[in-house]
Amino acid sequence: MKCNPYLPFNEYIPDGEPHVFEGRLYLYGSHDEPNVNQFCPGDYVVWSCSLDDLTDWKYEGISYRRTDDPHNTDNVHALFAPDVAKGPDGYYYLYYCLDFQQEIGVAKSKRPQGPFSFYGHVHYPDQTLLHEYFPYDPSILVDDDGSVYLYYGFAAHFSGGSFGTITPSPGCMVVELY
């Protein structure tokens, strides 16, 4: 029986990002778990299907574990809102954020379904981490000329929440990656 409407009934992938690579549709996203009162407590998983049959989804397994990021070896932070892009070098790059940490992590794989290995955190040439306007919920665009752009944003003032010293973004932020 197919449910949810295309994933098993107990599978929850919020912040979903669909991408077509190598003739398949891949679904990346955060990973909620049933009966857990917390956002995104799971490791990232990937689902895929053939473009010829969008009803036959395959579980590709865990693509990235929460503890793979060296800033989360104690497993206290959740993985939020990932995006994946195929880089000009042919590798697949997973961009993600840990809950309310002012940084964006990057993991790398030879395959679109992973597994992905920690690659680093987005930083400036002087190794300072990108942190302005709370980099959160990354999206990646690889342009036709091979340029790679990171889009992000966080608008705490819209959520009504208090986030301490976090400065919300004035809108969508974009930086070119090298």
Side-chain angles (χ1 to χ4, degrees):
M1 176 178 185
K2 302 268 185 203
C3 300
N4 199 13
Y6 52 91
L7 298 180
F9 195 59
N10 64 342
E11 187 67 8
Y12 308 102
I13 308 293
D15 307 314
E17 294 287 341
H19 291 285
V20 175
F21 299 122
E22 302 174 9
R24 290 189 70 78
L25 175 62
Y26 290 88
L27 178 64
Y28 306 93
S30 302
H31 195 204
D32 283 348
E33 294 178 357
N35 304 315
V36 175
N37 192 19
Q38 173 188 356
F39 291 122
C40 314
D43 296 320
Y44 288 144
V45 299
V46 174
W47 288 82
S48 75
C49 69
S50 167
L51 294 176
D52 296 329
D53 185 358
L54 299 179
T55 65
D56 188 20
W57 286 81
K58 175 184 175 188
Y59 176 69
E60 298 284 357
I62 294 174
S63 61
Y64 191 71
R65 296 187 185 281
R66 294 162 42 126
T67 55
D68 288 346
D69 186 298
H71 294 166
N72 196 36
T73 56
D74 55 2
N75 201 25
V76 298
H77 297 289
L79 292 168
F80 280 4
D83 198 9
V84 173
K86 186 174 185 178
D89 61 0
Y91 283 92
Y92 296 89
Y93 292 88
L94 169 75
Y95 291 80
Y96 64 91
C97 55
L98 296 169
D99 60 347
F100 301 102
Q101 301 303 297
Q102 290 189 250
E103 62 191 15
I104 292 177
V106 184
K108 182 177 177 180
S109 176
K110 291 181 179 181
R111 304 177 327 149
Q113 69 270 33
F116 290 85
S117 298
F118 180 76
Y119 185 67
H121 293 100
V122 177
H123 59 272
Y124 294 105
D126 69 358
Q127 302 304 308
T128 302
L129 290 178
L130 171 71
H131 63 277
E132 287 80 16
Y133 298 114
F134 194 43
Y136 214 65
D137 290 350
S139 290
I140 296 297
L141 170 70
V142 179
D143 209 343
D144 293 341
D145 66 1
S147 300
V148 180
Y149 299 94
L150 167 66
Y151 294 83
Y152 68 90
F154 183 74
H157 55 285
F158 288 119
S159 69
S162 173
F163 297 97
T165 61
I166 295 171
T167 303
S169 58
C172 181
M173 307 301 293
V174 61
V175 293
E176 184 174 1
L177 301 178
Y178 299 94

